[in-house]
Amino acid sequence: MGLNDFGVLNQGPIAAYSDEVYNSSNAAQIFQLLDLERIEVLRGPQGTLYGRNATGGAVNFISIRFNGSAFYYDYSDLQVFAFVIVNGVGFSTISNAADAEIYGAELEFQWLPVENLFINLGAGYLQTEYKDFVIPSGDYSGNEITMSPELTFNGLVQYDIPLNSAGVLTLQTDFNYQDSVWFDSLNNPLLSEDDYWLVNARVSWTSPDEKWQVAAFGRNLTNEEYMVYAFDLSFFGFNEEMIATPRSYGIEATYQF
């Protein structure tokens, strides 16, 4: 850009970047402008922006999106369900945990590195705590809130293969990680689940008019065994555990009117 001599190794006064990576010559600036998040244009001399002294300006082609957020909550009189045993008798109770504190952060990264390839990654951090949580069976202040994993990760990779007039073939895999959680507010070790990973995959065909889609999928491909919830029924001599679906496969077809 900004040259009258288009030799492939020449550098112009206007610097071009792909996701803040300098394209050092005309040859390096030959790339497809597909699925861009945005284009940043900076006029005039840019000093040593990104390590290049661009006298005529800079153009940055952005295909990466990065989002982040942080949060903090301070609850008062939070209602909490608990199953407790007092003098050999079981009770289902709803109590007010005087205070509860929740804080954390979430990050998301989206990238379109080449044509038809999409990558999405996410991560979360969470801290929870009941404050002044006292019920007839004891003082549970300091316990973690139910179903609140400290760390979570997720990701998705999707690649579209155009079949010209025959539609589009899409290959996709996704994964997620969940840290250990408690299923009850008393933080009973018998009512908890350790951390685990899940991996899924999917292949689909979409018709040219986008009305028909046929897909084959596999879920929980590593056959991870884990609980999705559990109840304390020890008063009756047992706990109730809900186990997630094991590894499974299937096909499906959809039509949009």
Side-chain angles (χ1 to χ4, degrees), residues 20-198:
E20 302 184 0
V21 176
Y22 176 53
N23 298 314
S24 59
S25 65
N26 284 341
Q29 294 174 16
I30 301 174
F31 53 88
Q32 294 180 312
L33 303 179
L34 298 168
D35 297 322
L36 291 175
E37 167 64 19
R38 66 185 186 277
I39 299 176
E40 299 176 346
V41 179
L42 303 176
R43 298 182 180 180
Q46 300 301 314
T48 57
L49 178 70
Y50 307 134
R52 163 75 161 88
N53 186 8
T55 60
V59 179
N60 193 9
F61 301 92
I62 304 295
S63 64
I64 295 176
R65 175 185 296 177
F66 183 81
N67 300 315
S69 64
F71 52 88
Y72 175 83
Y73 300 101
D74 190 357
Y75 288 96
S76 297
D77 298 326
L78 180 68
Q79 290 189 329
V80 178
F81 171 82
F83 186 84
V84 298
I85 298 177
V86 180
N87 296 326
V89 180
F91 296 92
S92 294
T93 65
I94 296 179
S95 305
N96 286 333
D99 296 298
E101 184 180 59
I102 301 173
Y103 62 90
E106 296 178 344
L107 300 175
E108 182 184 32
F109 173 83
Q110 295 181 347
W111 188 27
L112 302 162
V114 296
E115 183 179 3
N116 300 324
L117 177 62
F118 173 69
I119 298 174
N120 187 93
L121 300 173
Y125 172 74
L126 182 64
Q127 283 290 332
T128 66
E129 183 180 356
Y130 290 118
K131 304 282 190 178
D132 303 324
F133 181 22
V134 181
I135 56 178
S137 62
D139 185 351
Y140 300 96
S141 302
N143 278 14
E144 296 179 12
I145 296 178
T146 60
M147 300 298 294
S148 300
E150 180 177 0
L151 294 175
T152 55
F153 301 104
N154 64 81
L156 179 145
V157 179
Q158 178 178 298
Y159 186 65
D160 294 330
I161 304 175
L163 303 176
N164 298 321
S165 60
V168 177
L169 184 68
T170 300
L171 309 178
Q172 176 180 305
T173 183
D174 63 88
F175 67 87
N176 65 75
Y177 167 83
Q178 178 177 288
D179 212 342
S180 58
V181 296
W182 303 100
F183 295 127
D184 81 326
S185 56
L186 308 187
N187 289 184
N188 182 346
L190 297 178
L191 302 177
S192 65
E193 181 56 72
D194 294 333
D195 61 317
Y196 59 86
W197 288 89
L198 292 179

Side-chain angles (χ1 to χ4, degrees), residues 214-231:
V214 179
F217 60 83
R219 296 171 181 158
N220 190 7
L221 294 180
T222 58
N223 203 28
E224 189 77 24
E225 184 176 335
Y226 63 100
M227 290 188 295
V228 295
Y229 211 83
F231 293 95

